[in-house]
Amino acid sequence: MATASQRVRLIIGATLVTGIAAAFLLRPHPPWRAPERAASAGAVHAGGKPPSAQVREFEGSYPEVAEPTGVVRDVALEAAPVTLPLLDGQPLDVWAYNGQVPGPTIRVRLGERLRVTFTNRLARPTTVHWHGVRLPNAMDGVPGVTQPEVPPGGTFVYEFAPKDAGTFWFHPHLRSSEQVERGLYGVLVVEDAAPLPYSRDVVWVLDDWRIREGAIDPQFNTPHDLMHDGRWGNVITVNGSIDERLTVRPGERIRLRLLNAANGRVFAPDFSGLDARVIAVDGLYTARPLDPAGFELAPGNRIDLDITVPPSAAGRQISVVDRFTRRPNALASIDVSQGAAVQSPAFPSPAGAHVPPWRDTEAIAPRLEYRLAARRGGEFGIEWTLNGAAARHAHDTEASAADGHGHEVSVLPRREWSKLRFVNESGRLHPIHLHGMFFKVLSRNGRPADEPFFRDTVLVHARETVDVGLVPLDEGRWMLHCHILEHAEAGMMSLLDVKSM
Ligand code: C2O
Ligand code: CU
């Protein structure tokens, strides 16, 4: 086992090359991802079903409302600067929710209402966005679109009843490339109405930090970060530590919830020393348990794993590494105690969700198509654009008038099936995230990709074209943006107006 400081040095060495190399690496494809193929020009052929068939296949995928229990969970949340022993345990100046990084894990049960009274003790305005949660539009935390900024000293009450059980998260939606990087993020766990009897339910928040002289490097949105895949740090942490250890007993069955809270880094966590199965992606249960090998956890993505520690692992330390980049990065360790195994809780995998097949959709024209590209200009010297437009509001802390702030607005009909196409004309990565709805990947580079799960964030690789299908259920003005936070701040944001038509 490398010592903590050895590991830091290792990571620093590795990250010099990774930011640049990441987009060019050839990596094995997970079994559910089709091999890449150049998009054929005008790939529209006959045979696609009419969208009403897609809506029928979607029925029952997830509910419009959860059965209310009448319980209201009250949580006080405060953002403030604080000094914490993080990374290798040395004091670090951060911005934190409730004095901790990651922020508190908020747990609420399906059917309950959550009421979060938020207070801003930062010297900057902020908001809280509930990533992945289907909620009323006014609670979505997007400044200038769904609410005004929360000024220093100000408060805002977020109240909603989550409709889906699963792993979600919250973070600022204002100057997020700085605010998230400084430590503002936390996990929202929505438990099933009747939680399964796992031995443990554990959260691992993955992040990376760019540390210079013992402090968070205060240069944000640098030309280098903007030209590449955002800000990639030189220290990787799980739950704020470079040496996170989960101590378990042989026989235990664990639900491990992973979140990538990094600004730009993609992780491919390797659990090959364990019999781990993916049971949920971006909150929602998958259609069946999946092998996590090769899963790309892009910024914003979550996966939930179902892991039974085999009795044969007693006394072992299983190190979990990230293999997205050429040089693997140590993430955390699962330390299995010595001794007799405990009885493993026996219950069928919860991964049995209804996920619509949505096959033969190639012939259906996309309702919206987004071209992802960069150009010179704007506040940072480089702008990231969607169809040639760069949104300019996320870094505009002075103006908070509730207009569109130069966002492009597209309309999506509520309760109808739509296909969206993302055409990456750049050589960089773009994890595209939609607020307020889930979607399913239909194809990559024209090749059907039968992902047996929904997502709220999909990683679009360099020069790749990704088609997704969705049926939005909630009215309102929802963001669509790149979750590489530097790309979003430099313009890669747009709005979707979901309306009954
Ligand atoms: Cu986690 Cu608009 O994003
Ligand atoms: Cu991007």
Side-chain angles (χ1 to χ4, degrees), residues 153-237:
T155 63
F156 191 93
V157 179
Y158 294 94
E159 184 174 339
F160 52 89
K163 301 172 184 181
D164 307 294
T167 308
F168 301 94
W169 67 300
F170 54 97
H171 63 76
H173 222 282
L174 182 64
R175 285 212 182 248
S176 36
S177 66
E178 175 173 3
Q179 297 196 359
V180 174
E181 178 69 4
R182 287 194 184 275
L184 290 170
Y185 48 75
V187 170
L188 169 65
V189 171
V190 183
E191 294 173 343
D192 289 298
L196 293 161
Y198 281 98
S199 313
R200 284 164 209 268
D201 186 316
V202 179
V203 171
W204 275 6
V205 182
L206 281 50
D207 193 8
D208 68 348
W209 308 71
R210 187 176 294 164
I211 300 296
R212 208 156 49 110
E213 291 160 13
I216 295 171
D217 185 341
Q219 300 312 126
F220 293 96
N221 302 308
T222 65
H224 175 277
D225 296 348
L226 285 168
M227 279 191 290
H228 296 84
D229 302 313
R231 175 170 165 131
W232 287 50
N234 51 6
V235 180
I236 292 174
T237 57

Coordinates of all heavy atoms in Angstrom, one line a residue, residues 153-237:
G153 N -25.8 36.7 2.7 CA -26.7 37.0 3.9 C -28.1 36.6 3.6 O -28.9 36.6 4.5
G154 N -28.4 36.3 2.3 CA -29.8 36.0 1.9 C -30.2 34.5 2.2 O -29.3 33.7 2.5
T155 N -31.5 34.3 2.1 CA -32.0 32.9 2.3 C -32.9 32.5 1.2 O -33.5 33.4 0.5 CB -32.8 32.7 3.7 OG1 -33.9 33.5 3.6 CG2 -31.9 33.1 4.9
F156 N -33.2 31.2 1.0 CA -34.2 30.8 0.0 C -34.6 29.4 0.5 O -33.8 28.6 1.0 CB -33.5 30.6 -1.4 CG -34.5 30.4 -2.5 CD1 -35.1 31.5 -3.2 CD2 -35.0 29.1 -2.8 CE1 -36.0 31.2 -4.2 CE2 -35.9 28.9 -3.8 CZ -36.4 30.0 -4.5
V157 N -35.9 29.2 0.4 CA -36.5 27.9 0.9 C -36.8 27.0 -0.3 O -37.6 27.4 -1.2 CB -37.7 28.1 1.8 CG1 -38.3 26.7 2.2 CG2 -37.4 29.0 3.0
Y158 N -36.1 25.9 -0.4 CA -36.4 24.9 -1.5 C -37.3 23.9 -0.9 O -37.0 23.2 0.1 CB -35.1 24.3 -1.9 CG -34.1 25.3 -2.6 CD1 -33.2 25.9 -1.9 CD2 -34.3 25.6 -4.0 CE1 -32.3 26.8 -2.5 CE2 -33.4 26.5 -4.6 CZ -32.4 27.1 -3.8 OH -31.6 28.0 -4.4
E159 N -38.4 23.6 -1.5 CA -39.4 22.6 -1.0 C -40.0 21.8 -2.2 O -40.5 22.4 -3.1 CB -40.5 23.3 -0.2 CG -41.4 22.3 0.4 CD -42.5 22.8 1.4 OE1 -42.3 24.0 1.9 OE2 -43.5 22.1 1.6
F160 N -39.8 20.5 -2.0 CA -40.4 19.6 -3.1 C -40.5 18.2 -2.6 O -39.9 17.9 -1.5 CB -39.4 19.7 -4.3 CG -38.0 19.4 -4.0 CD1 -37.5 18.1 -4.0 CD2 -37.1 20.4 -3.7 CE1 -36.2 17.8 -3.7 CE2 -35.8 20.2 -3.5 CZ -35.3 18.9 -3.5
A161 N -41.3 17.4 -3.3 CA -41.4 16.0 -3.0 C -40.8 15.2 -4.1 O -41.3 15.2 -5.2 CB -42.9 15.6 -2.8
P162 N -39.6 14.6 -3.9 CA -39.0 13.9 -5.0 C -39.9 12.8 -5.5 O -40.6 12.1 -4.7 CB -37.7 13.3 -4.3 CG -37.5 14.1 -3.1 CD -38.9 14.5 -2.6
K163 N -39.9 12.6 -6.8 CA -40.7 11.6 -7.4 C -40.0 10.2 -7.6 O -40.6 9.2 -8.0 CB -41.2 12.1 -8.8 CG -42.0 13.3 -8.7 CD -42.2 13.9 -10.1 CE -42.9 15.2 -10.1 NZ -43.2 15.7 -11.4
D164 N -38.7 10.3 -7.5 CA -37.9 9.1 -7.8 C -37.0 8.8 -6.6 O -36.4 9.7 -6.1 CB -37.0 9.3 -9.0 CG -37.8 9.8 -10.2 OD1 -38.6 9.0 -10.7 OD2 -37.6 11.0 -10.6
A165 N -36.9 7.5 -6.3 CA -35.9 7.1 -5.3 C -34.6 7.0 -6.0 O -34.5 6.5 -7.1 CB -36.3 5.8 -4.6
G166 N -33.5 7.3 -5.3 CA -32.2 7.2 -5.9 C -31.1 8.1 -5.4 O -31.4 8.8 -4.4
T167 N -30.0 8.2 -6.1 CA -28.9 9.0 -5.7 C -28.8 10.3 -6.5 O -28.7 10.2 -7.7 CB -27.5 8.3 -5.8 OG1 -27.7 7.0 -5.2 CG2 -26.4 9.0 -5.3
F168 N -29.0 11.4 -5.8 CA -29.0 12.7 -6.5 C -28.0 13.6 -5.8 O -27.3 13.2 -4.9 CB -30.4 13.3 -6.5 CG -31.4 12.5 -7.2 CD1 -32.2 11.5 -6.4 CD2 -31.6 12.5 -8.5 CE1 -33.1 10.7 -7.1 CE2 -32.5 11.6 -9.2 CZ -33.2 10.7 -8.4
W169 N -27.8 14.9 -6.3 CA -26.9 15.7 -5.6 C -27.3 17.2 -5.7 O -28.2 17.5 -6.5 CB -25.4 15.4 -6.0 CG -25.0 15.7 -7.4 CD1 -25.5 15.2 -8.5 CD2 -23.9 16.6 -7.8 NE1 -24.7 15.7 -9.6 CE2 -23.8 16.5 -9.2 CE3 -23.0 17.4 -7.1 CZ2 -22.8 17.2 -9.9 CZ3 -22.0 18.1 -7.8 CH2 -21.9 18.0 -9.1
F170 N -26.6 18.0 -5.0 CA -26.9 19.5 -5.0 C -25.6 20.3 -5.1 O -24.6 19.9 -4.5 CB -27.8 19.9 -3.9 CG -27.3 19.5 -2.5 CD1 -26.6 20.5 -1.7 CD2 -27.6 18.3 -1.9 CE1 -26.2 20.1 -0.4 CE2 -27.1 17.9 -0.7 CZ -26.4 18.9 0.1
H171 N -25.7 21.4 -5.8 CA -24.5 22.2 -5.9 C -25.0 23.6 -6.4 O -26.1 23.7 -6.9 CB -23.6 21.6 -6.9 CG -24.1 21.4 -8.3 ND1 -24.2 22.4 -9.2 CD2 -24.5 20.3 -8.9 CE1 -24.7 21.9 -10.4 NE2 -24.9 20.6 -10.2
P172 N -24.1 24.6 -6.3 CA -24.5 26.0 -6.8 C -24.7 26.0 -8.3 O -24.1 25.2 -9.0 CB -23.3 26.8 -6.4 CG -22.5 26.1 -5.4 CD -22.8 24.6 -5.7
H173 N -25.5 26.9 -8.8 CA -25.6 27.0 -10.2 C -25.3 28.4 -10.7 O -25.8 29.0 -11.6 CB -27.1 26.7 -10.7 CG -27.1 25.8 -12.0 ND1 -26.9 26.4 -13.2 CD2 -27.2 24.5 -12.2 CE1 -26.9 25.4 -14.1 NE2 -27.1 24.3 -13.5
L174 N -24.3 29.0 -10.0 CA -23.8 30.3 -10.3 C -22.3 30.3 -10.1 O -21.8 29.9 -9.1 CB -24.5 31.3 -9.3 CG -24.2 32.8 -9.4 CD1 -24.7 33.3 -10.8 CD2 -24.8 33.5 -8.3
R175 N -21.6 30.7 -11.1 CA -20.1 30.6 -11.1 C -19.7 29.3 -10.5 O -18.9 29.2 -9.7 CB -19.5 31.8 -10.2 CG -19.5 33.1 -10.9 CD -18.3 33.9 -10.5 NE -18.4 35.3 -11.1 CZ -17.5 35.7 -12.0 NH1 -16.6 34.9 -12.5 NH2 -17.6 36.9 -12.5
S176 N -20.4 28.3 -11.0 CA -20.1 26.9 -10.4 C -18.7 26.4 -10.7 O -18.2 25.7 -9.9 CB -21.2 25.9 -10.9 OG -21.5 26.2 -12.2
S177 N -18.0 26.9 -11.7 CA -16.7 26.4 -11.9 C -15.8 26.8 -10.8 O -14.9 26.1 -10.4 CB -16.1 26.9 -13.2 OG -15.9 28.3 -13.2
E178 N -16.1 27.9 -10.1 CA -15.4 28.2 -8.9 C -16.1 27.6 -7.6 O -15.4 27.0 -6.7 CB -15.3 29.7 -8.7 CG -14.6 30.1 -7.4 CD -14.3 31.6 -7.2 OE1 -14.6 32.4 -8.1 OE2 -13.7 31.9 -6.2
Q179 N -17.4 27.8 -7.5 CA -18.1 27.4 -6.3 C -18.1 25.9 -6.0 O -17.9 25.5 -4.9 CB -19.5 28.0 -6.3 CG -19.5 29.5 -6.3 CD -20.8 30.1 -6.0 OE1 -21.8 29.5 -5.7 NE2 -20.9 31.5 -6.0
V180 N -18.2 25.1 -7.1 CA -18.2 23.7 -6.9 C -16.7 23.2 -6.6 O -16.5 22.4 -5.7 CB -18.8 22.9 -8.1 CG1 -18.6 21.4 -8.0 CG2 -20.3 23.3 -8.3
E181 N -15.8 23.8 -7.3 CA -14.4 23.5 -7.1 C -13.9 23.8 -5.7 O -13.1 23.1 -5.1 CB -13.5 24.2 -8.1 CG -12.0 24.0 -8.0 CD -11.6 22.6 -8.4 OE1 -12.4 21.8 -8.8 OE2 -10.4 22.3 -8.2
R182 N -14.5 24.8 -5.1 CA -14.1 25.2 -3.7 C -14.7 24.3 -2.7 O -14.5 24.5 -1.5 CB -14.4 26.7 -3.5 CG -13.5 27.6 -4.2 CD -13.6 29.0 -3.6 NE -12.9 30.0 -4.4 CZ -11.6 30.3 -4.1 NH1 -10.9 29.6 -3.2 NH2 -10.9 31.2 -4.8
G183 N -15.6 23.4 -3.1 CA -16.1 22.4 -2.1 C -17.6 22.4 -1.9 O -18.1 21.7 -1.0
L184 N -18.4 23.2 -2.7 CA -19.8 23.2 -2.5 C -20.5 22.1 -3.3 O -20.8 22.3 -4.5 CB -20.4 24.6 -2.8 CG -20.0 25.7 -1.9 CD1 -20.3 27.1 -2.4 CD2 -20.6 25.6 -0.5
Y185 N -20.8 21.0 -2.6 CA -21.6 20.0 -3.2 C -22.0 19.0 -2.1 O -21.3 18.8 -1.1 CB -20.9 19.2 -4.3 CG -19.5 18.8 -4.0 CD1 -19.2 17.7 -3.2 CD2 -18.4 19.5 -4.6 CE1 -17.9 17.3 -2.9 CE2 -17.1 19.1 -4.2 CZ -16.9 18.0 -3.4 OH -15.6 17.6 -3.1
G186 N -23.1 18.3 -2.3 CA -23.6 17.3 -1.3 C -24.5 16.4 -2.0 O -24.9 16.6 -3.1
V187 N -24.7 15.2 -1.4 CA -25.5 14.2 -2.0 C -27.0 14.2 -1.4 O -27.1 14.4 -0.2 CB -24.9 12.8 -1.7 CG1 -25.8 11.6 -2.1 CG2 -23.6 12.7 -2.5
L188 N -27.9 14.0 -2.2 CA -29.3 13.8 -1.8 C -29.7 12.4 -2.1 O -29.7 12.0 -3.2 CB -30.3 14.8 -2.5 CG -31.8 14.5 -2.4 CD1 -32.2 14.7 -0.9 CD2 -32.6 15.4 -3.3
V189 N -29.9 11.6 -1.0 CA -30.3 10.2 -1.2 C -31.8 10.2 -1.0 O -32.3 10.5 0.1 CB -29.6 9.3 -0.2 CG1 -30.3 7.9 -0.3 CG2 -28.1 9.2 -0.5
V190 N -32.6 9.7 -2.0 CA -34.0 9.5 -1.8 C -34.2 8.0 -1.7 O -33.9 7.2 -2.6 CB -34.8 10.0 -3.0 CG1 -36.3 9.8 -2.8 CG2 -34.5 11.5 -3.3
E191 N -34.5 7.6 -0.5 CA -34.7 6.1 -0.2 C -36.0 5.6 -0.8 O -37.0 6.3 -0.9 CB -34.6 5.9 1.3 CG -33.3 6.3 1.9 CD -33.4 6.2 3.5 OE1 -34.5 6.2 4.0 OE2 -32.3 6.1 4.1
D192 N -35.9 4.3 -1.1 CA -37.2 3.7 -1.5 C -38.2 3.8 -0.4 O -37.9 3.9 0.7 CB -36.9 2.2 -1.8 CG -36.1 2.0 -3.1 OD1 -36.6 2.4 -4.2 OD2 -35.0 1.5 -3.0
A193 N -39.5 3.7 -0.8 CA -40.6 3.7 0.2 C -40.3 2.6 1.2 O -40.6 2.9 2.4 CB -41.9 3.5 -0.5
A194 N -39.8 1.5 0.8 CA -39.4 0.4 1.8 C -38.0 0.1 1.4 O -37.7 -0.7 0.5 CB -40.3 -0.8 1.6
P195 N -37.0 0.7 2.1 CA -35.6 0.5 1.8 C -35.2 -1.0 1.9 O -35.7 -1.7 2.8 CB -34.8 1.3 2.8 CG -35.8 2.4 3.3 CD -37.2 1.7 3.2
L196 N -34.3 -1.4 1.0 CA -33.8 -2.8 1.0 C -32.9 -3.0 2.2 O -32.1 -2.1 2.5 CB -33.2 -3.1 -0.3 CG -34.2 -3.1 -1.5 CD1 -33.4 -3.0 -2.8 CD2 -35.0 -4.4 -1.5
P197 N -32.8 -4.2 2.7 CA -32.0 -4.5 3.9 C -30.5 -4.7 3.6 O -29.9 -5.7 4.0 CB -32.6 -5.7 4.5 CG -33.2 -6.4 3.4 CD -33.7 -5.4 2.4
Y198 N -29.9 -3.7 2.9 CA -28.4 -3.8 2.7 C -27.7 -3.7 4.1 O -28.2 -3.1 5.0 CB -27.9 -2.6 1.8 CG -28.2 -2.8 0.4 CD1 -29.3 -2.3 -0.3 CD2 -27.3 -3.6 -0.4 CE1 -29.5 -2.5 -1.6 CE2 -27.6 -3.8 -1.8 CZ -28.7 -3.3 -2.4 OH -28.9 -3.5 -3.7
S199 N -26.5 -4.4 4.2 CA -25.8 -4.3 5.4 C -25.3 -2.8 5.7 O -25.2 -2.4 6.8 CB -24.5 -5.2 5.3 OG -24.8 -6.4 4.8
R200 N -25.0 -2.1 4.6 CA -24.6 -0.7 4.7 C -25.0 0.0 3.4 O -25.1 -0.6 2.3 CB -23.1 -0.6 4.7 CG -22.4 -0.9 5.9 CD -20.9 -1.0 5.5 NE -20.3 -2.0 6.4 CZ -19.8 -1.6 7.5 NH1 -19.6 -0.3 7.8 NH2 -19.3 -2.5 8.4
D201 N -25.3 1.3 3.6 CA -25.6 2.2 2.5 C -24.5 3.3 2.5 O -24.5 4.1 3.5 CB -27.0 2.7 2.6 CG -27.5 3.6 1.5 OD1 -26.7 4.4 0.9 OD2 -28.6 3.4 1.1
V202 N -23.6 3.3 1.5 CA -22.4 4.1 1.6 C -22.3 5.1 0.4 O -22.7 4.7 -0.7 CB -21.1 3.2 1.6 CG1 -19.9 4.1 1.7 CG2 -21.2 2.3 2.8
V203 N -21.9 6.3 0.7 CA -21.8 7.3 -0.4 C -20.3 7.6 -0.6 O -19.5 7.8 0.3 CB -22.5 8.6 0.0 CG1 -22.2 9.7 -1.0 CG2 -24.0 8.4 0.1
W204 N -19.9 7.5 -1.9 CA -18.5 8.0 -2.2 C -18.6 9.1 -3.2 O -19.1 8.9 -4.3 CB -17.7 6.8 -2.9 CG -17.0 5.9 -2.0 CD1 -17.1 5.8 -0.6 CD2 -16.2 4.8 -2.4 NE1 -16.4 4.8 -0.2 CE2 -15.8 4.1 -1.2 CE3 -15.7 4.3 -3.6 CZ2 -14.9 3.0 -1.2 CZ3 -14.9 3.2 -3.6 CH2 -14.5 2.6 -2.4
V205 N -18.1 10.3 -2.8 CA -18.1 11.4 -3.7 C -16.7 11.6 -4.2 O -15.8 11.8 -3.5 CB -18.6 12.7 -2.9 CG1 -18.6 13.9 -3.9 CG2 -19.9 12.6 -2.3
L206 N -16.6 11.4 -5.6 CA -15.3 11.6 -6.2 C -15.1 13.0 -6.7 O -16.0 13.6 -7.2 CB -15.3 10.6 -7.4 CG -15.0 9.1 -7.2 CD1 -15.9 8.5 -6.2 CD2 -15.1 8.4 -8.5
D207 N -13.9 13.5 -6.4 CA -13.6 14.9 -6.9 C -12.1 15.0 -7.1 O -11.3 14.1 -6.7 CB -14.0 15.9 -5.8 CG -14.0 17.3 -6.2 OD1 -13.9 17.6 -7.5 OD2 -14.2 18.2 -5.4
D208 N -11.7 16.0 -7.8 CA -10.3 16.3 -7.9 C -10.1 17.8 -7.6 O -11.0 18.6 -7.8 CB -9.7 15.9 -9.3 CG -10.2 16.7 -10.4 OD1 -11.2 17.4 -10.3 OD2 -9.6 16.5 -11.5
W209 N -8.9 18.1 -7.2 CA -8.6 19.5 -6.8 C -7.3 19.9 -7.4 O -6.4 19.2 -7.5 CB -8.4 19.5 -5.3 CG -9.4 18.9 -4.4 CD1 -9.7 17.5 -4.4 CD2 -10.3 19.5 -3.6 NE1 -10.8 17.4 -3.5 CE2 -11.2 18.6 -3.0 CE3 -10.5 20.9 -3.2 CZ2 -12.2 18.9 -2.1 CZ3 -11.5 21.2 -2.3 CH2 -12.3 20.2 -1.7
R210 N -7.3 21.2 -7.8 CA -6.0 21.7 -8.3 C -5.4 22.5 -7.2 O -5.9 23.6 -6.8 CB -6.2 22.6 -9.5 CG -4.8 23.0 -10.1 CD -4.9 23.8 -11.4 NE -5.4 23.0 -12.5 CZ -5.9 23.5 -13.6 NH1 -6.0 24.8 -13.8 NH2 -6.4 22.6 -14.5
I211 N -4.4 21.9 -6.6 CA -3.8 22.5 -5.4 C -2.4 23.1 -5.7 O -1.6 22.5 -6.4 CB -3.6 21.4 -4.3 CG1 -4.9 20.8 -3.9 CG2 -2.8 21.9 -3.1 CD1 -5.9 21.7 -3.2
R212 N -2.2 24.3 -5.3 CA -0.9 25.0 -5.5 C -0.5 25.6 -4.2 O -1.3 26.4 -3.6 CB -1.1 26.1 -6.6 CG 0.2 26.4 -7.3 CD 0.0 26.9 -8.7 NE -1.0 28.1 -8.6 CZ -0.6 29.3 -8.8 NH1 0.6 29.7 -9.1 NH2 -1.5 30.3 -8.8
E213 N 0.6 25.3 -3.7 CA 1.2 25.8 -2.4 C 0.2 25.7 -1.3 O -0.1 26.6 -0.5 CB 1.6 27.3 -2.6 CG 2.8 27.4 -3.5 CD 3.0 28.8 -4.0 OE1 2.3 29.7 -3.6 OE2 3.8 28.9 -5.0
G214 N -0.4 24.5 -1.2 CA -1.3 24.2 -0.1 C -2.7 24.8 -0.1 O -3.4 24.8 0.9
A215 N -3.0 25.4 -1.2 CA -4.3 26.1 -1.3 C -5.0 25.7 -2.7 O -4.3 25.2 -3.6 CB -4.1 27.6 -1.2
I216 N -6.3 25.9 -2.7 CA -7.0 25.7 -4.0 C -6.5 26.8 -5.0 O -6.5 28.0 -4.6 CB -8.5 25.8 -3.8 CG1 -9.0 24.7 -2.9 CG2 -9.2 25.8 -5.1 CD1 -10.4 24.8 -2.4
D217 N -6.0 26.4 -6.1 CA -5.5 27.3 -7.1 C -6.6 28.4 -7.4 O -7.6 27.9 -8.0 CB -5.0 26.6 -8.3 CG -4.3 27.5 -9.3 OD1 -4.5 28.7 -9.3 OD2 -3.6 26.9 -10.2
P218 N -6.3 29.6 -7.2 CA -7.4 30.6 -7.4 C -7.6 31.1 -8.8 O -8.4 31.9 -9.1 CB -7.0 31.8 -6.5 CG -5.5 31.7 -6.4 CD -5.1 30.2 -6.6
Q219 N -6.8 30.5 -9.7 CA -7.0 30.9 -11.1 C -8.1 30.0 -11.7 O -7.9 28.8 -11.9 CB -5.7 30.6 -12.0 CG -4.5 31.4 -11.6 CD -4.7 32.9 -11.4 OE1 -4.4 33.4 -10.4 NE2 -5.3 33.6 -12.4
F220 N -9.3 30.5 -11.9 CA -10.4 29.7 -12.5 C -10.6 30.1 -13.9 O -10.2 31.2 -14.3 CB -11.7 30.0 -11.7 CG -11.6 29.5 -10.3 CD1 -11.2 30.3 -9.2 CD2 -11.7 28.1 -10.0 CE1 -11.1 29.8 -7.9 CE2 -11.6 27.6 -8.7 CZ -11.3 28.5 -7.7
N221 N -11.2 29.2 -14.7 CA -11.5 29.4 -16.1 C -10.3 29.9 -16.9 O -10.4 30.9 -17.6 CB -12.7 30.5 -16.2 CG -13.9 30.0 -15.4 OD1 -14.3 28.8 -15.6 ND2 -14.4 30.8 -14.5
T222 N -9.2 29.2 -16.7 CA -8.0 29.6 -17.4 C -8.1 29.2 -18.9 O -8.9 28.3 -19.2 CB -6.7 28.9 -16.9 OG1 -6.9 27.5 -17.1 CG2 -6.6 29.1 -15.4
P223 N -7.4 29.9 -19.8 CA -7.4 29.5 -21.2 C -7.1 28.1 -21.4 O -7.7 27.4 -22.2 CB -6.4 30.4 -21.8 CG -6.3 31.6 -20.9 CD -6.5 31.1 -19.5
H224 N -6.1 27.5 -20.6 CA -5.8 26.1 -20.7 C -7.0 25.2 -20.4 O -7.4 24.3 -21.2 CB -4.7 25.7 -19.8 CG -4.4 24.2 -19.8 ND1 -5.1 23.3 -19.1 CD2 -3.5 23.5 -20.6 CE1 -4.6 22.1 -19.3 NE2 -3.7 22.2 -20.3
D225 N -7.7 25.5 -19.3 CA -8.9 24.7 -18.9 C -10.0 24.8 -19.9 O -10.7 23.9 -20.3 CB -9.4 25.2 -17.6 CG -8.4 25.0 -16.4 OD1 -7.4 24.3 -16.6 OD2 -8.7 25.6 -15.3
L226 N -10.2 26.0 -20.5 CA -11.2 26.3 -21.4 C -11.0 25.5 -22.7 O -11.9 25.0 -23.4 CB -11.4 27.7 -21.7 CG -12.1 28.4 -20.5 CD1 -12.0 29.9 -20.6 CD2 -13.6 28.0 -20.5
M227 N -9.7 25.5 -23.1 CA -9.4 24.8 -24.4 C -9.4 23.3 -24.3 O -9.5 22.6 -25.3 CB -8.0 25.3 -24.9 CG -8.0 26.6 -25.5 SD -6.4 26.9 -26.3 CE -5.3 27.1 -24.9
H228 N -9.3 22.8 -23.0 CA -9.2 21.4 -22.8 C -10.6 21.0 -22.2 O -11.6 21.6 -22.4 CB -8.0 21.0 -22.0 CG -6.7 21.3 -22.8 ND1 -6.1 22.5 -22.7 CD2 -6.0 20.5 -23.6 CE1 -5.1 22.5 -23.5 NE2 -4.9 21.3 -24.0
D229 N -10.5 19.9 -21.4 CA -11.7 19.3 -20.8 C -12.0 19.9 -19.5 O -12.3 19.2 -18.5 CB -11.6 17.8 -20.8 CG -11.4 17.2 -22.1 OD1 -12.1 17.6 -23.1 OD2 -10.4 16.4 -22.3
G230 N -11.9 21.2 -19.3 CA -12.1 21.9 -18.1 C -10.9 21.8 -17.1 O -9.8 21.4 -17.5
R231 N -11.2 22.0 -15.9 CA -10.2 22.0 -14.8 C -10.0 20.6 -14.3 O -10.9 20.1 -13.6 CB -10.6 23.0 -13.7 CG -9.6 23.1 -12.5 CD -10.0 24.2 -11.6 NE -9.5 24.2 -10.3 CZ -8.8 25.2 -9.7 NH1 -8.7 26.4 -10.4 NH2 -8.4 25.2 -8.5
W232 N -8.8 20.0 -14.6 CA -8.5 18.7 -14.0 C -7.5 19.0 -12.9 O -6.4 19.6 -13.1 CB -7.9 17.8 -15.1 CG -8.9 17.3 -16.1 CD1 -9.9 18.0 -16.7 CD2 -9.2 15.9 -16.4 NE1 -10.7 17.2 -17.5 CE2 -10.2 15.9 -17.4 CE3 -8.6 14.7 -16.1 CZ2 -10.7 14.7 -17.9 CZ3 -9.1 13.5 -16.7 CH2 -10.2 13.6 -17.6
G233 N -7.7 18.5 -11.7 CA -6.9 18.7 -10.6 C -5.7 17.8 -10.5 O -5.5 16.9 -11.3
N234 N -4.8 18.1 -9.5 CA -3.6 17.3 -9.3 C -3.8 16.4 -8.1 O -2.8 15.8 -7.7 CB -2.4 18.2 -9.2 CG -2.5 19.3 -8.3 OD1 -3.5 19.4 -7.6 ND2 -1.5 20.2 -8.2
V235 N -4.9 16.5 -7.4 CA -5.2 15.6 -6.2 C -6.6 15.1 -6.4 O -7.5 15.8 -6.6 CB -5.1 16.4 -4.9 CG1 -5.3 15.5 -3.7 CG2 -3.7 17.1 -4.7
I236 N -6.7 13.8 -6.3 CA -8.0 13.1 -6.4 C -8.5 12.7 -5.0 O -7.7 12.1 -4.2 CB -7.9 11.9 -7.3 CG1 -7.7 12.4 -8.8 CG2 -9.2 11.1 -7.2 CD1 -7.5 11.3 -9.8
T237 N -9.7 13.0 -4.7 CA -10.2 12.6 -3.3 C -11.5 11.8 -3.5 O -12.3 11.9 -4.5 CB -10.5 13.8 -2.5 OG1 -11.4 14.6 -3.1 CG2 -9.3 14.5 -2.1

